[in-house]
Amino acid sequence: MEPELLEAELVLPAYFSFKKIQIYEKYPKGQSSAKRFKHLKQIIQAENFQNYPPDEPNYVNIESPPSMHPSKRICDITGYEAPYHDPRTKLRYANAGVFKVIRSLSNDYVQRYLALRNAAIVLR
Amino acid sequence: MPFVSQIQRQTDYGLFPSATPIVIDNGASSFRIGWAGEDDPRVIFRNIVQRPRHKATGETVTVVGDHDPALMKYFDCTRSGPRSAFDSNVVYQFEIMEYIFDFGFDRLGANGPEIDHPVLITECVCNPVYSRSKMAELLFETYGVPSVAFGVDAAFSYKYNQQLGICARDGLAISPGFTTTHVIPFVDGEAVYKGACRTNVGGYHVTDYFKQLLSLKHPHHMTRFTWEKVEDLKMEHCYIAPDYALETQLFQKGTKEAEDKTRCWQLPWVPPVVEEGPSEEELARRAAIRERQGQRLREMAEAKRSSRINELENELRGLAFLLKQLEQVGEEDVPSFLSETGYTSKQEIESAHAKATQSLRKAKGEPKADQVESDEKIDPSADEKFSLLNVPDNMLSAEQLKEKKRLNFLKTTTEGRQRAKQKRMEEELERERKNREDEEKRLANPGLYLEQLHVKYKELSEKVEQRKRLKTNGGNTNGNNLSGGVGRGERLNAAQRERMRLLTTAAFDRGKGEDTFGAKDEDWQLYKLMSKDNDDDDDEHDPEEAELTRISSRLQEIDPTFIPKAESGTSQQVVEVPKFRPLTKEDFQVILGVERFRCPEILFNPNLVGIDQAGMDEMAGVSIRRLSCDSKDVEDRLTQSILITGGSCLFPGISERLEAGIRMIRPCGSPIRVVRASDPVLDAWHGASMYASALQFPSQTFTRMDYYEKGEDWLRRYQVRYSL
């Protein structure tokens, strides 16, 4: 190890005196950690919130409902208010100038713009 | 205000009695750890772990938090980006969490056999019991923590600000955090989770949106928009528009106000180095060197010439002497005399003498006279020289016949040469005449002349161009072959298309009947035809082209502004290659206009990033509705003390916007007061520290024994009382 690394103590040591179980004992090498832990979705599923009274707050039912306000439509490129919608690219645009721009965009960029508002075509 | 981590190792760990709790604010963006009762956390770092490979040794190491980027050069980070223990706002990766704790406790100075202090750690609202139990397990079993308490960061912040008198006992805590935004109502000083609500939008989404927008707008500078840089930009420039639509209209109209609100980020840009010619001295030096070399060469040539002249003079003297001697020698003694000298006859000596004189003259530098003389010499002698030709063949001997044949050949070639010379002269004269005429015309009316010349040039160049195009492009030239949009056939030149045709017919013929290819010799000619790549008449010089070059040179002479068109072959290429203009300073500017308020706008309109949930202002209404208070009195009290806390409430203008938004959803005349926490980022820790230092704190903790005895269902319902 380079001296400046040692001086900065950048690298986390493997052994700590204050730990009862060291990390290498708990997680032996060769196992990918990604599979070991449930993702939030799996955690929520395993919690079985449907079995509990609905008025009891839990992680799922405290989520906000969809907005009651009419959704704002803004130009995907400029952020201005967008009265128009291009049926070909599905992008919203503010004026003729922006329309020219979106028609010159490659499909890759169109999809990336759509992905910004979660409207891209996702192939599974 | 860029994020600054604070990771110096503390030395006073041993001074704290084991009853002093350790307070941890485990936020999704940063981890803060310190001692209960103190004013500020001791250690703060970004809640991320990287596991890069150390380049020198090749082993995988663990690096927690943000570090000096200069030190990261020793690591190969290509395969591991920064990882977080959080999925949304819930801890799920406990291996990463353990690295974080290791680092945190280590920097706090822990050195005993275990962490012998109660721990208060923050979690999200309604944390799933899986995550909560794993966290407790980790703290109990790995670190030997005696007791643990879990609380919600926004609630601690509210309580802390209540203590400071910023907000009341009843109120709403609105906390836009890193990954989520929460609204928690407080009634009688206690958080009521029944009325809590969460929208999955936070600072992370703002930064991500910002980053994506920038990299879509400036694809060339994509690498500049690192997460950290964009985060800094966000903190520095983003603000919340009082009314999004009005604000965009300002920009759309391009008003002065909008101009003032536009920020510009100049990326490092070095103006391209202007090619500077060599300096005066350098030029002079080079010229001197060239001069010296030329001088040397000239001297060498001179020396060579003089030596050659010397040689020739000697030879001449010798030959003259020989001739003189020969005169004295008798007629019959000539052969014997000559046999000694190496010459066979007197004529030979004479011719050698003449040749030597001629070359001497040439060497001395009078070639022209010589040439003229020799030319002239030929003329009078021609008739007698070729006299043999006029004699009929049958009168000549075999030797003479041979001589005649030779002379015949000689005559034709000389005549040919003379004819060519004549023609050249005539051409020269013609050109001279034309030039003279031109000059006269020009002098008569320079303007008109120039105009005519230009017109002529244009016509001719078009004609030549057309011909060339035809040659390369076959018949379908409608003038648009330069503008792109050419089909398959149009791209090929005539020769290539011919080859194509031959190949297809050959392939077509192959299909039917017997294959007789090669039976006839002519079949093989096909290959010759096919391999022919270019037109035969490629280097044919037509008069038009010659005229064109003449005119263009003439134009260049008299019109300084004239620029001859490039050769059509190259001009075509120039058109096809997109012209690259030199990059300017403006190309390295990132203009932040609408983006400044478009990005944080997603906190109020999550549907801008495709999240179909209520925004911050609406959430307050949702929260009050969920609480279903019995009297309007309570609702008014709630809206009278709205506290905003959390990292993402640092955007300027957020309080005003929130107040306006809530005013829209509340009944007319409701009292509304929105206040910002004293320190939106650290107040959660401050509140937790204050809470943990309270005398009743131990009653809110649970031990390892409790955890195992009471079971999971108890842990699920576990909730600290904030009002002690």
Side-chain angles (χ1 to χ4, degrees):
Chain A
M1 289 273 165
E2 290 77 3
E4 56 255 58
L5 283 184
L6 294 176
E7 200 193 329
E9 292 184 278
L10 198 68
V11 174
L12 198 69
Y15 173 82
F16 288 100
S17 67
F18 54 80
K19 286 177 79 175
K20 285 181 164 176
I21 310 166
Q22 301 299 326
I23 200 139
Y24 51 83
E25 293 165 338
K26 213 190 259 183
Y27 305 108
K29 267 188 181 172
Q31 280 181 43
S32 73
S33 59
K35 278 183 196 150
R36 220 164 15 228
F37 298 105
K38 291 192 217 166
H39 282 264
L40 181 57
K41 249 186 189 166
Q42 295 163 300
I43 293 174
I44 289 169
Q45 223 160 32
E47 295 278 297
N48 290 317
F49 288 125
Q50 68 276 12
N51 298 344
Y52 298 103
D55 57 339
E56 199 183 278
N58 59 43
Y59 190 80
V60 173
N61 65 17
I62 63 165
E63 275 212 53
S64 313
S67 175
M68 303 290 274
H69 295 316
S71 69
K72 252 196 190 107
R73 293 183 187 283
I74 65 164
C75 174
D76 285 304
I77 315 290
T78 60
Y80 302 149
E81 269 186 295
Y84 314 111
H85 165 257
D86 176 22
R88 189 155 97 195
T89 59
K90 308 266 190 297
L91 287 170
R92 295 167 187 157
Y93 62 95
N95 51 42
V98 182
F99 182 66
K100 241 177 232 166
V101 173
I102 62 171
R103 278 297 166 93
S104 71
L105 287 175
S106 70
N107 187 47
D108 181 34
Y109 273 70
V110 169
Q111 291 304 318
R112 280 174 63 191
Y113 271 113
L114 286 173
L116 280 185
R117 56 177 164 94
N118 219 353
I121 300 162
V122 182
L123 298 173
R124 284 180 212 276
Chain B
M1 184 201 76
F3 177 78
V4 185
S5 58
Q6 178 187 321
I7 49 168
Q8 289 80 31
R9 175 170 289 119
Q10 306 296 308
T11 50
D12 53 355
Y13 181 85
L15 304 179
F16 289 89
S18 66
T20 310
I22 291 174
V23 176
I24 298 170
D25 180 9
N26 186 23
S29 73
S30 55
F31 183 93
R32 305 169 190 94
I33 184 167
W35 296 102
E38 289 199 348
D39 291 336
D40 279 304
R42 293 293 187 92
V43 179
I44 304 174
F45 54 91
R46 244 181 100 187
N47 211 339
I48 50 163
V49 171
Q50 293 179 70
R51 303 212 59 208
R53 210 168 48 83
H54 185 239
K55 274 180 189 164
T57 56
E59 55 186 326
T60 307
V61 296
T62 309
V63 176
V64 177
D66 250 351
H67 288 278
D68 185 2
L71 288 177
M72 292 310 277
K73 69 177 180 218
Y74 296 112
F75 300 108
D76 173 18
C77 298
T78 44
R79 290 190 58 193
S80 68
R83 280 185 278 170
S84 161
F86 287 81
D87 189 355
S88 187
N89 58 348
V90 175
V91 179
Y92 82 109
Q93 275 257 21
F94 285 90
E95 188 182 345
I96 291 174
M97 199 67 238
E98 194 171 330
Y99 289 126
I100 302 263
F101 278 140
D102 282 355
F103 186 75
F105 287 133
D106 181 43
R107 291 298 154 113
L108 195 64
N111 48 17
E114 57 185 19
I115 306 292
D116 192 19
H117 296 272
V119 168
L120 171 61
I121 184 168
T122 61
E123 58 170 19
C124 66
V125 180
C126 299
N127 196 11
V129 71
Y130 170 85
S131 174
R132 191 180 280 175
S133 67
K134 282 275 185 192
M135 183 71 88
E137 215 170 87
L138 180 65
L139 288 169
F140 287 139
E141 310 216 324
T142 306
Y143 297 97
V145 172
S147 60
V148 170
F150 290 105
V152 172
D153 48 355
F156 285 131
S157 179
Y158 188 86
K159 295 308 281 184
Y160 181 70
N161 283 286
Q162 184 191 336
Q163 189 84 8
L164 293 178
I166 292 174
C167 50
R169 253 169 82 84
D170 295 347
L172 288 175
I174 300 185
S175 158
F178 187 62
T179 51
T180 53
T181 300
H182 282 102
V183 174
I184 306 168
F186 283 80
V187 179
D188 292 332
E190 197 56 53
V192 186
Y193 293 149
K194 202 179 88 177
C197 94
R198 182 189 75 235
T199 292
N200 298 321
V201 169
Y204 167 84
H205 299 89
V206 178
T207 307
D208 192 49
Y209 192 43
F210 200 8
K211 186 166 175 274
Q212 298 285 347
L213 281 176
L214 285 180
S215 47
L216 279 166
K217 208 168 152 192
H218 306 274
H220 306 295
H221 305 305
M222 198 121 92
T223 47
R224 299 245 176 222
F225 308 125
T226 58
W227 179 267
E228 289 76 16
K229 181 68 209 174
V230 179
E231 186 103 350
D232 287 352
L233 282 180
K234 173 184 88 169
M235 289 192 221
E236 200 180 332
H237 297 299
C238 283
Y239 66 94
I240 304 244
D243 185 318
Y244 186 80
L246 286 178
E247 196 82 2
T248 52
Q249 273 165 26
L250 281 185
F251 278 85
Q252 210 163 355
K253 284 176 195 147
T255 57
K256 179 84 183 62
E257 213 173 325
E259 222 166 90
D260 292 342
K261 283 181 178 178
T262 303
R263 297 282 179 275
C264 173
W265 172 30
Q266 177 71 54
L267 295 171
W269 174 74
V270 188
V273 186
V274 181
E275 274 296 310
E276 250 182 56
S279 64
E280 287 290 301
E281 292 167 35
E282 178 69 15
L283 278 175
R285 202 175 60 83
R286 277 186 205 170
I289 289 174
R290 213 174 305 128
E291 182 59 32
R292 262 210 301 284
Q293 278 172 342
Q295 188 61 40
R296 218 178 62 220
L297 282 174
R298 269 197 297 280
E299 272 164 18
M300 269 162 70
E302 185 56 40
K304 214 170 167 185
R305 201 168 68 97
S306 64
S307 79
R308 179 158 168 72
I309 288 171
N310 233 346
E311 228 170 73
L312 284 168
E313 270 169 359
N314 279 344
E315 199 183 337
L316 261 183
R317 225 169 288 138
L319 284 169
F321 178 68
L322 201 63
L323 282 172
K324 213 178 269 172
Q325 269 193 333
L326 208 58
E327 275 165 27
Q328 288 163 8
V329 176
E331 190 75 11
E332 58 281 1
D333 291 338
V334 166
S336 61
F337 175 76
L338 280 177
S339 65
E340 283 168 32
T341 61
Y343 291 99
T344 47
S345 68
K346 197 182 168 197
Q347 281 87 350
E348 203 175 330
I349 299 176
E350 272 168 353
S351 75
H353 185 261
K355 218 168 164 186
T357 351
Q358 215 172 52
S359 22
L360 184 62
R361 220 183 266 163
K362 207 170 173 182
K364 276 182 174 165
E366 28 200 293
K368 195 74 192 171
D370 175 14
Q371 183 76 30
V372 172
E373 200 186 336
S374 70
D375 271 8
E376 278 165 0
K377 219 164 60 190
I378 287 170
D379 284 334
S381 63
D383 284 338
E384 59 178 283
K385 212 174 173 185
F386 299 125
S387 58
L388 215 52
L389 289 175
N390 301 330
V391 183
D393 281 0
N394 48 16
M395 285 172 69
L396 297 167
S397 65
E399 190 125 318
Q400 276 172 322
L401 265 176
K402 215 188 246 172
E403 182 67 11
K404 188 182 169 182
K405 221 180 249 173
R406 197 182 65 84
L407 283 175
N408 208 352
F409 172 71
L410 215 66
K411 195 182 174 193
T412 45
T413 48
T414 34
E415 272 168 5
R417 220 178 293 146
Q418 267 172 338
R419 264 201 302 280
K421 211 166 135 197
Q422 188 88 15
K423 207 176 159 197
R424 258 207 313 276
M425 291 257 282
E426 273 166 23
E427 266 175 27
E428 192 97 331
L429 278 174
E430 177 70 12
R431 212 175 302 146
E432 200 95 306
R433 196 178 55 77
K434 242 185 191 170
N435 278 356
R436 233 187 350 263
E437 270 175 26
D438 272 359
E439 196 61 27
E440 275 164 21
K441 265 195 233 165
R442 190 173 81 84
L443 289 173
N445 188 352
L448 183 74
Y449 173 72
L450 201 63
E451 206 172 302
Q452 277 173 345
L453 214 56
H454 270 295
V455 168
K456 211 165 165 193
Y457 175 76
K458 212 172 146 194
E459 269 173 18
L460 267 173
S461 68
E462 256 166 30
K463 228 181 241 177
V464 169
E465 197 105 315
Q466 180 92 16
R467 175 121 34 87
K468 273 194 181 152
R469 224 154 35 201
L470 261 165
K471 213 186 274 176
T472 55
N473 219 6
N476 353 327
T477 36
N478 36 10
N480 65 354
N481 63 329
L482 295 180
S483 60
V486 283
R488 177 83 184 94
E490 283 162 276
R491 260 202 301 279
L492 302 173
N493 65 29
Q496 282 172 321
R497 269 190 301 140
E498 176 61 12
R499 179 163 52 188
M500 205 73 140
R501 193 188 62 76
L502 286 168
L503 279 171
T504 45
T505 45
F508 186 67
D509 289 345
R510 188 66 57 87
K512 46 186 178 184
E514 214 174 322
D515 185 9
T516 57
F517 186 82
K520 284 175 288 174
D521 277 347
E522 290 91 80
D523 291 349
W524 303 105
Q525 292 291 318
L526 188 62
Y527 288 109
K528 221 186 254 174
L529 281 172
M530 279 184 197
S531 62
K532 203 159 45 171
D533 219 347
N534 257 325
D535 309 40
D536 318 332
D537 51 353
D538 216 3
D539 38 24
E540 168 213 333
H541 273 289
D542 51 327
E544 274 174 9
E545 223 160 308
E547 181 71 6
L548 184 67
T549 50
R550 195 184 71 82
I551 291 181
S552 88
S553 66
R554 181 101 182 107
L555 270 171
Q556 264 170 317
E557 257 170 49
I558 55 173
D559 186 2
T561 59
F562 173 76
I563 299 157
K565 255 191 225 167
E567 276 291 296
S568 63
T570 55
S571 82
Q572 220 158 340
Q573 274 175 1
V574 167
V575 170
E576 271 167 15
V577 173
K579 268 187 189 159
F580 289 110
R581 68 197 162 82
L583 289 175
T584 60
K585 198 177 169 189
E586 281 69 37
D587 291 318
F588 286 84
Q589 278 173 355
V590 176
I591 306 292
L592 307 173
V594 180
E595 288 83 3
R596 288 183 65 202
F597 57 91
R598 178 182 178 180
C599 300
E601 182 66 20
I602 64 170
L603 295 174
F604 288 89
N605 283 301
N607 65 29
L608 295 185
V609 286
I611 295 171
D612 193 18
Q613 283 188 308
M616 252 167 86
D617 43 1
E618 236 184 313
M619 282 167 75
V622 171
S623 190
I624 293 169
R625 200 167 62 237
R626 280 191 182 161
L627 210 54
S628 56
C629 314
D630 359 301
S631 66
K632 194 172 170 297
D633 212 35
V634 182
E635 287 181 7
D636 283 352
R637 254 186 289 148
L638 286 180
T639 55
Q640 224 166 1
S641 147
I642 298 171
L643 180 85
I644 42 171
T645 178
S648 296
C649 81
L650 290 169
F651 294 114
I654 197 167
S655 318
E656 295 77 10
R657 174 69 185 274
L658 198 57
E659 193 174 328
I662 294 171
R663 199 174 294 284
M664 282 207 293
I665 48 177
R666 293 303 300 159
C668 183
S670 310
I672 289 163
R673 190 172 68 99
V674 177
V675 288
R676 193 192 295 240
S678 61
D679 182 345
V681 178
L682 283 180
D683 272 358
W685 190 90
H686 292 149
S689 162
M690 184 186 81
Y691 183 79
S693 62
L695 279 176
Q696 295 96 325
F697 172 69
S699 67
Q700 301 300 318
T701 60
F702 63 95
T703 61
R704 190 177 164 184
M705 286 313 287
D706 293 332
Y707 171 57
Y708 285 116
E709 270 170 28
K710 292 174 180 166
E712 203 165 75
D713 201 45
W714 169 83
L715 189 65
R716 195 171 60 79
R717 256 176 261 162
Y718 164 87
Q719 190 186 330
V720 292
R721 279 183 54 79
Y722 292 99
S723 47
L724 291 176

